[in-house]
Amino acid sequence: MSSLTAVDWLILLLYFLFVLGIGYALKPHMKTARDFLQAGQSLPAWICGLAFLAAGLSGQEVVGMGAWGARYGLESAQLFALGAVAAMVFLALFMMPLYYGSKARSVPEFLGLRFDRKTRTLNACLFAAMTVFSSGISLYIVARVMQALHVFDGLARTFGWGPQASLLICIVLSSAIVLAYVLLGGLTAVLYNQVLQFFLLVAGLLPAVLLGLHSIGGWSGLKAAIPVSSLNWTGATGAGMNVETIALGLAAGLLLGAGYWCTDFRVIQVALAAKNLESARRAPLIAVLPKLLLPLLVVLPGLLAIALPTPRTTTVEQTIQGEIIRTTTVVRPEVEAGQGLVPAKVDPVTGKPIVSASGESPLDYDLATPNMLAHFLPTGLLGLAVAALLACLMSGVAAGAAAFNTVVTYDLYQPCIRKGADDRHSLAVARWATLAGLLLSAGVACAAVHYPLLGSNLPGALGLAFALVNAPQLATLLLGMFSRRATGHGAFAGLVAGVVAALLHHGLTLPGLTLSMGAPAGISGGWIAVLHRYPSAMAQSICAIVVAFAASLVVTTLVSSFTKPRPEPELAGLVHSLQRRGTQQKQGRTSFGR
Amino acid sequence: MNFDVRIPIGLMFTLAGLVLTLFGLETNGDAAVYTRSLGINVNLGWGLVLAVFGLTTLLLGQRGQKRLENPPPQSGSKRKARRGR
């Protein structure tokens, strides 16, 4: 695997230039906090639609979906795409009129309008922490991928830094670029770059998928090369996903889809930036069709990577050319122990492939997609593909930063710290919040680099973060939007209950069926006592999400039934059944404009 | 609305496509470069595709930009009047 050549760098630099250029060109338009944080609410539906789609394609998701394809097959991924599509349609039909119509500027603000201050503040804090954390993990995962592709190795070597430096260069460089363009162009720059990212992802990954299919002999060749089971859901459960039944899997798909696409402010902010309600509702619908086709682009590379023969067969061809750049003549132990193009996991301490007690080596599925790219793309296109991966990373982190600064400014600073801050002041706060959020995220990523043991377990914690924040938030939002009876105390108690339930679940369970296979108690769970062992980290996360959602739903309902609901006129425009009347009645609930 | 996003996207894809096409032409027939891509000169082919895509997007973007600058009557550029339903 060679590192990048001059052409690759030229394309990469071209991309960096345009990303920053977009931010720079938008700078004169960033006059008010509303311009900066809400893109002036002026964007047409198709931009929001594509950006909406791209919001679900951040770095860790593109890498993760390839890994998913390699591990669980294509149809299990399709199931989750279906969950996402259902969630998007639901959002467009039922939830968007309430979000957009309430003139809330963020999801916590909507909770504040529907329930009360404490619910809003709690949700804002949880969301802000989750965003920072998951951006940090995204940075770490993509930095590892870039290290595997040797993208920044040359740069690290020129400075005479050690092997870890290439990870740090990737983290610092991408956070710095994100910081620059978010500060310059605000949410508009984030959305424009998400649109750019979407096209770049297609341009970068499609050739590798086509070449991979060509090499394996088309679709029928792929089918022949992999066990039948990886193409369907039943196989996926057998192959290690181990969600007990298909029904549970479907429910989880819907829950994950709704938790992300209907409540996560990193996604909702895109639709809220639309110029009117019509466009805001159309944005998720525009994203639906491409969303159904996307698994072919991002999941298929993983599936191909596992199905293709291990690269040692191709080394003969390469040595005839006498090219010295290539060092794949020796099959490295982790490649040997791996399957197809997916190498085995390497122990971060010893540098050797991990072998479990049963003699099997767990595979490093995160490298499935990057290895596909490196295997098939010649210099030139490889640069484009690397740019596409970096684009996904950066626009995901940027969306996180934009959501973070909005929530901090509107939901924490303005109501709790300084009431009635003027617009210039708010704009300054938003800019500082961007810097703080990105520094924290980069800090999380650097910590993961510094402590390899922490790093190897961190990605699994993303599921926990989802269970802590998105699952309870989904429960309270659904009850708030579709029941007049839900109360502020109920919602607050529900959020707390969701967090407590997710933490308890995490503290009492561990992934890995046997002691030798499983992770040690600690960051992967089991820090109270190990009551239950899940077959995989995936099963643990899904159950955590279900538990947190259920706890939040039950507690919100129970507490609401004992507390006094708000009078109906106050809820106009905030609850689905009180929607029609709401549009005329509700005026000046929030500051319109700024 | 600030500027039509299709302009930077079109421009970038045109430039990237041109770079790939030129590089593809230069390395055409150089088997060593294309062993990885099964002997196909993907840089040339895909570069052309990207350049065409980029140019189309750029043209569409320029038309969109003109419309932005002289908005057709009725839909004002200030969009202060948000029509809720």
Side-chain angles (χ1 to χ4, degrees):
Chain A
M1 218 179 289
S2 61
S3 63
L4 301 190
T5 60
V7 204
D8 299 317
W9 276 105
L10 187 63
I11 291 177
L12 212 53
L13 288 180
L14 195 70
Y15 167 68
F16 289 156
L17 195 75
F18 270 87
V19 166
L20 293 174
I22 287 177
Y24 186 75
L26 288 168
K27 189 170 179 260
H29 301 279
M30 297 297 124
K31 294 199 183 76
T32 63
R34 182 166 174 261
D35 292 332
F36 185 72
L37 296 173
Q38 298 174 276
Q41 290 202 312
S42 61
L43 299 180
W46 71 270
I47 290 186
C48 293
L50 285 182
F52 192 86
L53 185 68
L57 289 170
S58 65
Q60 97 256 4
E61 276 146 334
V62 170
V63 174
M65 277 161 91
W68 185 289
R71 192 166 185 175
Y72 304 120
L74 191 58
E75 272 185 19
S76 56
Q78 282 286 19
L79 196 70
F80 281 78
L82 280 179
V85 165
M88 287 164 161
V89 173
F90 186 76
L91 172 72
L93 291 182
F94 299 110
M95 293 172 88
M96 197 40 82
L98 299 172
Y99 277 134
Y100 200 94
S102 72
K103 292 180 182 127
R105 296 161 297 183
S106 67
V107 172
E109 183 167 3
F110 180 84
L111 283 172
L113 292 174
R114 172 63 184 86
F115 297 117
D116 52 16
R117 258 279 290 285
K118 59 179 185 297
T119 311
R120 174 184 185 180
T121 310
L122 175 66
N123 181 250
C125 292
L126 285 172
F127 176 77
M130 187 270 287
T131 308
V132 163
F133 180 70
S134 65
S135 289
I137 294 182
S138 196
L139 277 167
Y140 172 70
I141 293 178
V142 179
R144 268 197 58 220
V145 166
M146 293 296 142
Q147 188 190 34
L149 291 175
H150 304 280
V151 174
F152 297 105
D153 280 12
L155 215 58
R157 231 175 292 128
T158 10
F159 291 109
W161 294 337
Q164 291 295 57
S166 65
L167 285 172
L168 295 179
I169 290 177
C170 178
I171 293 169
V172 172
L173 184 74
S174 31
S175 337
I177 293 178
V178 167
L179 179 70
Y181 81 73
V182 177
L183 283 183
L184 284 168
L187 183 61
T188 319
V190 173
L191 299 195
Y192 279 17
N193 279 319
Q194 280 182 327
V195 178
L196 175 63
Q197 168 221 343
F198 172 72
F199 288 115
L200 201 55
L201 184 70
V202 177
L205 256 55
L206 196 56
V209 173
L210 294 179
L211 283 170
L213 274 177
H214 182 71
S215 132
I216 208 166
W219 189 250
S220 50
L222 175 64
K223 262 188 176 163
I226 48 174
V228 189
S229 57
S230 324
L231 277 175
N232 59 44
W233 174 252
T234 41
T237 49
M241 180 127 118
N242 289 310
V243 179
E244 267 81 35
T245 61
I246 297 176
L248 183 57
L250 245 178
L254 280 177
L255 203 56
L256 280 172
Y260 187 66
W261 295 99
C262 299
T263 76
D264 199 303
F265 184 53
R266 284 171 293 181
V267 178
I268 304 294
Q269 68 177 356
V270 174
L272 289 184
K275 60 184 171 192
N276 53 34
L277 176 59
E278 270 309 302
S279 306
R281 293 180 78 173
R282 233 182 301 147
L285 295 179
I286 289 174
V288 163
L289 187 68
K291 176 78 199 170
L292 275 175
L293 295 176
L294 266 177
L296 290 178
L297 188 70
V298 291
V299 181
L300 213 49
L303 197 57
L304 283 165
I306 206 94
L308 283 161
T310 308
R312 72 178 89 88
T313 48
T314 56
T315 49
V316 188
E317 265 180 279
Q318 289 169 351
T319 43
I320 291 168
Q321 305 307 325
E323 285 293 316
I324 328 154
I325 333 160
R326 257 176 227 105
T327 50
T328 40
T329 36
V330 182
V331 180
R332 290 204 304 271
E334 66 265 27
V335 179
E336 184 71 60
Q339 188 186 348
L341 301 181
V342 185
K345 256 190 185 146
V346 176
D347 192 309
V349 184
T350 61
K352 288 190 183 132
I354 302 172
V355 181
S356 69
S358 53
E360 281 175 37
S361 307
L363 299 184
D364 200 345
Y365 291 102
D366 275 357
L367 293 180
T369 301
N371 277 358
M372 267 296 282
L373 301 176
H375 187 71
F376 281 112
L377 298 182
T379 179
L381 271 190
L382 187 61
L384 191 71
V386 168
L389 285 182
L390 276 178
C392 291
L393 164 71
M394 294 193 333
S395 74
V397 172
F404 179 83
N405 65 19
T406 309
V407 166
V408 167
T409 311
Y410 286 149
D411 297 302
L412 295 174
Y413 189 82
Q414 280 186 353
C416 304
I417 298 173
R418 187 191 293 197
K419 285 181 187 132
D422 66 2
D423 195 73
R424 260 191 72 211
H425 188 79
S426 302
L427 186 59
V429 170
R431 291 214 153 105
W432 283 109
T434 313
L435 177 67
L438 280 170
L439 278 179
L440 285 170
S441 298
V444 170
C446 290
V449 172
H450 195 71
Y451 304 101
L453 265 179
L454 178 72
S456 59
N457 285 315
L458 259 188
L462 272 178
L464 177 67
F466 194 93
L468 284 173
V469 182
N470 294 51
Q473 174 178 301
L474 174 67
T476 47
L477 270 169
L478 283 178
L479 285 173
M481 283 182 166
F482 298 100
S483 148
R484 303 172 213 189
R485 196 63 194 76
T487 68
H489 293 306
F492 184 78
L495 285 185
V496 174
V499 171
V500 171
L503 282 177
L504 271 181
H505 178 271
H506 188 251
L508 292 173
T509 60
L510 252 186
L513 277 180
T514 54
L515 261 178
S516 58
M517 271 296 282
I523 193 155
S524 327
W527 36 268
I528 302 172
V530 183
L531 289 187
H532 183 72
R533 283 182 172 276
Y534 285 106
S536 67
M538 173 69 64
Q540 188 198 22
S541 304
I542 289 179
C543 285
I545 291 161
V546 173
V547 164
F549 177 76
S552 184
L553 208 61
V554 169
V555 170
T556 309
T557 314
L558 274 180
V559 176
S560 292
S561 61
F562 292 117
T563 44
K564 202 167 142 278
R566 285 167 67 180
E568 279 187 16
E570 280 185 26
L571 296 179
L574 298 170
V575 178
H576 184 69
S577 55
L578 300 171
Q579 208 183 334
R580 277 286 144 74
R581 274 177 285 159
T583 37
Q584 293 95 26
Q585 278 181 9
K586 253 183 40 44
Q587 278 163 352
R589 178 165 278 273
T590 49
S591 45
F592 170 52
R594 41 208 56 120
Chain B
M1 178 75 176
N2 312 292
F3 59 83
D4 198 302
V5 70
R6 281 171 289 192
I7 292 177
I9 291 179
L11 210 57
M12 199 197 109
F13 274 96
T14 312
L15 288 178
L18 282 181
V19 169
L20 285 177
T21 311
L22 290 179
F23 183 70
L25 281 177
E26 200 192 285
T27 53
N28 205 11
D30 188 346
V33 178
Y34 296 109
T35 40
R36 271 192 252 171
S37 56
L38 319 169
I40 307 167
N41 188 341
V42 276
N43 281 335
L44 183 61
W46 199 243
L48 282 173
V49 172
L50 293 187
V52 169
F53 169 77
L55 278 175
T56 321
T57 315
L58 191 60
L59 285 179
L60 286 175
Q62 268 167 351
R63 272 177 52 193
Q65 185 70 21
K66 271 192 202 126
R67 214 171 301 142
L68 271 181
E69 276 157 13
N70 336 299
Q74 187 246 331
S75 71
S77 62
K78 269 289 158 200
R79 83 273 150 193
K80 266 282 145 73
R82 260 207 261 142
R83 271 159 287 146
R85 290 214 303 179

